[in-house]
Amino acid sequence: MIWATPLIILTFFGALIYCFVIKFSNVTKMGLQWKLLTSGEGSQEGISPFETFCTVVAYRVAVGNIGGVMVAIMFGGPGAIFWMIITALVTSAISYAENSLGQIYKVRMDGQYRGGPYFYMEHGFKKKKVGKIFAILFALLASIAVPFLVTGPSASNIAMAFKNSFGVSPVITGAVVAVLLMLVIAGGVRRIASFSTIIVPFMTIGYAIITIIVLVSHASSIPGTLGLIISSAFTKTAVSGGMIGGAFSYGVKRAVNSSGSGFGETPASAAAAECAHPASQGLVNAFSVYIDVIVCFCSGIMAVISNCYNVLIPGTKVFNGKLSQYIHIGTGSAVMKAQAASGTAGVVWVQEGANTAWPVVGGAIIAIALTCFAFSTCIAYYYEGESGIAYLFRHLPEKNRMKFIWGVRIVMPIMFFVWANVSASTVWAISEIAFGCMAWLNLIALMVEIPVVKKVYDDYMAQRKAGVEEPYFNPRKLGIKNCDVWMEINKARIEADAGGPAEAVIQADAGGGEQAESELLTE
């Protein structure tokens, strides 16, 4: 029910609305996005744009980019790959919106910048009580569901991959990775950011290379495979079998689940960046969706071109163990029939596809790639949990707040070990429930705050059009409240433009603040 049609519609068409709000800059400003990504530095309080980008990519590129794509193919056919790509590109607009909002309403806490959906829900809603309820619910999901439950698919798929390629027991795999996880997250956001800048480029480039090897091995099948993916997205072929509804539904569902656009996972990391204008981080992190698109496509085409995939009859909801429920069982590997008999879809399909081009070694490389994807994502999930805890206990002294944060650092690796020894279907179900709840809350918030996002975007582009090399954000000038940290961040430039101290600007604006706030609440 959580992933029912209304949420799919809200996600896809909400993203289309934001495409118009930001004038499709999520796909037309790639040059600017790259420039912003490679410029800027960190500070004592914030990390650099590139570190933030790598941390956000760590969120996006996860087991859903491999195992999730296979699930989409099993239920929606090869056409689901097409809709995953289209949806990911469209929903990059939502990524812009949520990450810019994360920056707009960020605060200083514990010697660093903190932000996230809970802050823009509480401070951005005109109905303050409603915003506070949304914020608390989201923060609870972020601090409990994300680090403890949503890590399930990552743990399960890592264990499955190592068992399939190396014969390693899930108990051993789970224990080793859990210890490594603890070592990284114990260092907080800076260690996470430093680790991400190393592992993210390595894992994405490596995955692209193994995909090229598979494509070269099956070069003669490339035109037919691409044709099958496109035709299956729109027509009733023997493989898609009237599956246009399923292809679209599962393609959208898995694309959103894979990239995390709209879930509100990445704004906390985006808020940690040092920058002069929120829109710049929105553009940088919208660009990160392209990496997600590339990895999803690599996974899908490796399975389809090697014929290592199975497709259920359209409309099948529950697998009863009979092969007659399938309209296609892959012949690229003998393993596919066993996968069909067990009703399983996951990383094994991609491993078998890689093995057709590079026996044994191909599957092993996929297992290592999956481990990198899943491990980096779990690290990013931890930071989402830490940020949620920081919000919920923001009124406590830092020493007491850190006790709760350390609780997450200790319990999360334990839960990772548990999930490594649980069936994939169970953990995917739990993960989707948590993601679905977060998506509902965050997408509603993003629809409510369209005017703020548009105002900030227009301000940024107006400054660039006027020749300002590095636009800066003055929330008071735009009439946006509850983000005074920006008056301190851009103090020198605000003073220069105002012809006086920034403190005087704040006091002058505050003179009519109570009246303005009253007007907002009565609208």
Side-chain angles (χ1 to χ4, degrees):
M1 289 298 293
I2 292 176
W3 268 115
T5 302
L7 181 56
I8 294 175
I9 293 174
L10 177 61
T11 301
F12 193 78
F13 290 99
L16 283 176
I17 291 173
Y18 264 112
C19 283
F20 285 99
V21 168
I22 63 174
K23 302 177 177 63
F24 290 89
S25 64
N26 53 311
V27 293
T28 62
K29 301 287 185 181
M30 291 187 186
L32 175 59
Q33 289 171 313
W34 179 256
K35 181 180 180 180
L36 293 171
L37 168 63
T38 54
S39 63
E41 298 178 352
S43 68
Q44 186 176 353
E45 296 171 313
I47 58 179
S48 72
F50 181 69
E51 287 177 320
T52 303
F53 174 80
C54 288
T55 304
V56 170
V57 170
Y59 270 112
R60 301 199 190 289
V61 180
V63 296
N65 293 72
I66 303 179
V69 175
M70 301 308 106
V71 172
I73 292 174
M74 185 169 77
F75 285 96
I81 299 171
F82 175 87
W83 289 114
M84 287 187 75
I85 294 171
I86 297 300
T87 301
L89 291 173
V90 171
T91 54
S92 63
I94 281 185
S95 177
Y96 168 85
E98 62 185 357
N99 287 302
S100 62
L101 282 169
Q103 276 281 338
I104 291 169
Y105 293 104
K106 70 182 181 181
V107 300
R108 280 193 175 101
M109 187 189 301
D110 306 333
Q112 61 183 285
Y113 294 127
R114 297 277 194 190
Y118 13 85
F119 285 102
Y120 60 70
M121 289 170 181
E122 178 178 350
H123 299 304
F125 276 39
K126 291 181 180 179
K127 300 294 184 181
K128 301 303 179 184
K129 289 184 178 179
V130 175
K132 191 81 176 250
I133 292 172
F134 268 58
I136 292 173
L137 288 174
F138 194 96
L140 287 171
L141 286 168
S143 57
I144 298 173
V146 174
F148 302 146
L149 302 180
V150 176
T151 51
S154 298
S156 178
N157 276 272
I158 288 176
M160 186 190 306
F162 270 79
K163 184 178 181 180
N164 185 62
S165 291
F166 307 110
V168 179
S169 167
V171 174
I172 296 175
T173 301
V176 171
V177 178
V179 171
L180 294 175
L181 180 63
M182 177 65 182
L183 292 175
V184 176
I185 64 177
V189 65
R190 294 197 178 279
R191 189 179 297 176
I192 291 170
S194 297
F195 181 80
S196 297
T197 59
I198 297 172
I199 194 172
V200 166
F202 167 77
M203 69 187 191
T204 51
I205 293 173
Y207 201 66
I209 291 173
I210 187 62
T211 303
I212 292 172
I213 292 173
V214 173
L215 290 177
V216 170
S217 177
H218 297 276
S220 61
S221 301
I222 292 177
T225 299
L226 294 177
L228 175 63
I229 291 172
I230 295 173
S231 64
S232 296
F234 297 100
T235 63
K236 299 181 179 181
T237 66
V239 174
S240 63
M243 202 173 282
I244 185 168
F248 178 78
S249 176
Y250 278 94
V252 171
K253 180 178 174 181
R254 286 298 166 185
V256 175
N257 200 326
S258 170
S259 72
S261 297
F263 290 163
E265 294 178 299
T266 58
S269 293
E274 186 69 66
C275 63
H277 200 290
S280 65
Q281 270 305 297
L283 289 168
V284 166
N285 291 304
F287 188 75
S288 67
V289 176
Y290 304 143
I291 306 299
D292 179 78
V293 170
I294 291 170
V295 176
C296 281
F297 178 76
C298 287
S299 298
I301 201 163
M302 275 195 281
V304 175
I305 200 169
S306 61
N307 200 7
C308 292
Y309 69 99
N310 302 322
V311 182
L312 286 166
I313 293 173
T316 301
K317 301 296 182 182
V318 180
F319 179 65
N320 60 17
K322 296 181 180 179
L323 295 181
S324 59
Q325 283 188 287
Y326 288 90
I327 56 173
H328 177 83
I329 296 177
T331 58
S333 168
V335 172
M336 298 314 300
K337 190 169 183 178
Q339 288 278 297
S342 62
T344 304
V347 64
V348 173
W349 293 13
V350 184
Q351 287 182 293
E352 292 304 312
N355 282 335
T356 62
W358 198 350
V360 182
V361 177
I365 291 175
I366 297 299
I368 294 171
L370 177 79
T371 301
C372 292
F373 293 168
F375 187 71
S376 63
T377 300
C378 285
I379 291 170
Y381 282 162
Y382 158 74
Y383 187 66
E384 174 71 6
E386 177 185 306
S387 299
I389 289 289
Y391 171 81
L392 290 171
F393 299 102
R394 64 195 181 283
H395 299 304
L396 292 180
E398 180 181 351
K399 182 179 180 180
N400 294 342
R401 187 164 52 247
M402 287 304 298
K403 291 179 180 178
F404 288 99
I405 289 175
W406 270 102
V408 177
R409 292 175 180 176
I410 293 170
V411 175
M412 182 181 174
I414 295 173
M415 291 304 299
F416 183 94
F417 172 78
V418 171
W419 291 127
N421 294 278
V422 176
S423 69
S425 59
T426 301
V427 293
W428 273 115
I430 294 174
S431 173
E432 288 198 354
I433 291 172
F435 272 145
C437 291
M438 294 174 71
W440 272 113
L441 292 170
N442 194 56
L443 286 166
I444 292 172
L446 292 177
M447 294 301 102
V448 170
E449 301 195 40
I450 285 176
V452 174
V453 175
K454 185 178 189 305
K455 190 179 293 186
V456 173
Y457 172 81
D458 290 343
D459 173 65
Y460 181 82
M461 289 303 173
Q463 290 187 55
R464 292 201 68 89
K465 188 175 181 180
V468 179
E469 181 65 23
E470 185 184 24
Y472 74 96
F473 181 48
N474 182 346
R476 302 283 176 171
K477 183 179 179 181
L478 299 179
I480 302 174
K481 298 184 179 298
N482 302 313
C483 35
D484 289 341
V485 69
W486 285 100
M487 301 300 290
E488 301 170 12
I489 293 172
N490 293 321
K491 180 179 178 180
R493 299 179 71 178
I494 291 173
E495 287 180 350
D497 283 351
E503 289 84 354
V505 176
I506 294 175
Q507 290 174 3
D509 287 340
E514 292 183 4
Q515 180 181 353
E517 184 70 13
S518 175
E519 291 173 358
L520 282 172
L521 290 170
T522 55
E523 286 184 6

